[in-house]
Amino acid sequence: MIMSLQRPYAAVACLLLYCLTGGLSIPDPRQREALIEQEASMQTGGQMVLTDAEKRLDAALFKMKQEEVMRADFPPAMHFFKARPLIRSSPIFGLLQKMPKGAALHVHDFAMGSLEWLVKNVTYQPHCYMCVTDGQSIRFIFSRRPKALPHCSDWTLLEDLRAKLVNATELDHSIMANLTIFTDQDPEVLYPSQNVIWDRFEQAFLAMWGLVTYAPVFREYYYRGLTEFYMDNVMYLELRALLPEIYELDGTTHDKPWALKTYQDVTRQFTAEHPDFFGARLIFTVHRGVNMSVMTEVVEEAMKLQRDFPDIMAGFDLVGREDSGRPLWYFRDALSLPVERGVMLPFFFHAGETDLEGTEVDQNLLDALLFNTSRIGHGFALVRHPVAKGLSRRKGVAVEVCPISNQVMKLVKDLRNHPAAALMSENHPLVISSDDPAMFGSSGLSYDFYEAFVGFGGIRSNLGSLKELAINSIRYSSLTLKQQEKALALWQRQWIRFVSENVDYLKYTLTQL
Ligand SMILES: *[C@@H]1O[C@H](CO)[C@@H](O)[C@H](O)[C@H]1NC(C)=O
Ligand SMILES: *[C@@H]1O[C@H](CO)[C@@H](O)[C@H](O)[C@H]1NC(C)=O
Ligand SMILES: *[C@@H]1O[C@H](CO)[C@@H](O)[C@H](O)[C@H]1NC(C)=O
Ligand SMILES: *[C@@H]1O[C@H](CO)[C@@H](O)[C@H](O)[C@H]1NC(C)=O
Ligand SMILES: *[C@@H]1O[C@H](CO)[C@@H](O)[C@H](O)[C@H]1NC(C)=O
Ligand SMILES: [Zn+2]
């Protein structure tokens, strides 16, 4: 190697000089090598110095990746619903599951954990009523005597219904099919457009609503969600949470502070029981379909919650489909309230989850940055906005990339073509997350790490990239610097153990075959 990596621009200068002075028609292979090195050093993890053990593990990973890329049925090129069984049998995925991935910073409350438990356990609990809407969706409520809803009046006690059936499997399947958008059918046929998939997606949340907002289930669903991420070697979470009205069997309800307090209690309990888990914080969210007066009230409430629960509450965000909701700029008066009053309310805006280039909605990215967002949710459109992209880089506002979500929601087909490929190739601040894993038939964070690492990371992303992504997830979290140091130290210990336990992963995997 003739050029040091620390002086990448020297290589360019030399190349230009070389072209000017001319000579051979074949470019100098040493110059070529230097440029290749220069580009590799610019990617996420490109400057990471690996230990000997890490280098050995990296060599194994490289080999596995080369084999994976040769496959005719290359998983990242396929729809996740079809790719899932292939990913599950991939040795790279096996390794990524064991890898300490740091934090998951973009996950939503009611899609964080398996939905199977809702069907197999929760709907089997006493007092669970179900009703089929005019639109063939379902609703649930726990009650002694449910009241009629618009478009859904005929409540059936599931206990009675199941007692009449010889075999409840079909019913359970149809309930499950309502709660998730995952399907065994051809997803391209079932969900031909973004409109169709978003409609089904929102229906699924409405269907599970009466289950997950029932107080005992609310608590346990969160605990189970934490367990799934913990088992997937994620040590910390920042959860987008709607803090909806939670109800009890007798119909009494609880408000937002109660919901937040419950999250705090369950988080503390979980962390006490799992000392190598660092914890969780909440980003309070509201649907972007609300009107201006509701938004103003919600921002007021968010400021109060931020003041009263500074430990658990990280900030505020808007959720729901950007293309059909109101743009951030529409809510500018409400969103400026905290700054006007000198009150701290960090924003974590979803922005740029769109392919509608040039529309009002497409301005969300820039507006999110103008409102000093701490991170950008998705930022799928960021590479098409050089000014927003430059700001995001300069201000260290990380993009939360959720590959499987973007593919399932039809923004990109082949994950090799995900725009984050460009961001990763120049080490743009970013983290990998999973958005609504349960809804997509995924879980935890490993599937999304797989798609990022094997799909848009390409052959070139390596163990250093994975390491930097994990470190990013802590560095770009809402934790204070002091907490980050603590979390990083905990992560570091897990990482060293992971590397030493898997140095011979390839050998082990090959003997398994
Ligand atoms: C649901 O799970 C709980 C434990 O989490 C268990 O005690 C209970 O028996 C289960 N109920 C049903 C109906 O499966
Ligand atoms: C119930 O029906 C499903 C198919 O609908 C079948 O696979 C299952 O074996 C049946 N269970 C029993 C106990 O008969
Ligand atoms: C939802 O459940 C209803 C009632 O069981 C069923 O008719 C409908 O097909 C289900 N919807 C989906 C999307 O599976
Ligand atoms: C805003 O929405 C709320 C709740 O849907 C409704 O009660 C209120 O009348 C609406 N306000 C305006 C000004 O439209
Ligand atoms: C964003 O930050 C800048 C610089 O700190 C500040 O002047 C501005 O008021 C902030 N704006 C909002 C909406 O937070
Ligand atoms: Zn999201």
Side-chain angles (χ1 to χ4, degrees), residues 106 108 350 378 435:
H106 187 129
H108 292 271
H350 277 75
H378 292 292
D435 209 10

Side-chain angles (χ1 to χ4, degrees), residues 462-490:
N462 55 19
L463 191 69
S465 318
L466 292 171
K467 200 173 168 184
E468 180 141 15
L469 286 172
I471 294 172
N472 278 356
S473 74
I474 295 168
R475 281 289 177 222
Y476 294 116
S477 74
S478 70
L479 294 169
T480 62
L481 277 180
K482 214 169 146 200
Q483 288 170 323
Q484 288 184 13
E485 291 310 322
K486 224 175 127 193
L488 274 173
L490 181 60

Side-chain angles (χ1 to χ4, degrees), residues 391-453:
L391 273 173
S392 145
R393 189 177 190 103
R394 267 204 310 288
K395 297 168 82 169
V397 174
V399 182
E400 302 160 347
V401 178
C402 306
I404 293 172
S405 170
N406 296 154
Q407 188 195 47
V408 171
M409 302 314 277
K410 300 182 89 76
L411 287 172
V412 58
K413 257 193 171 150
D414 181 333
L415 281 170
R416 287 173 296 190
N417 298 334
H418 194 288
L423 299 177
M424 251 179 100
S425 71
E426 56 184 7
N427 196 17
H428 192 91
L430 64 86
V431 296
I432 303 298
S433 203
S434 49
D435 209 10
D436 301 284
M439 197 63 88
F440 307 139
S442 159
S443 66
L445 201 51
S446 294
Y447 289 96
D448 284 277
F449 256 79
Y450 174 89
E451 301 282 19
F453 181 62

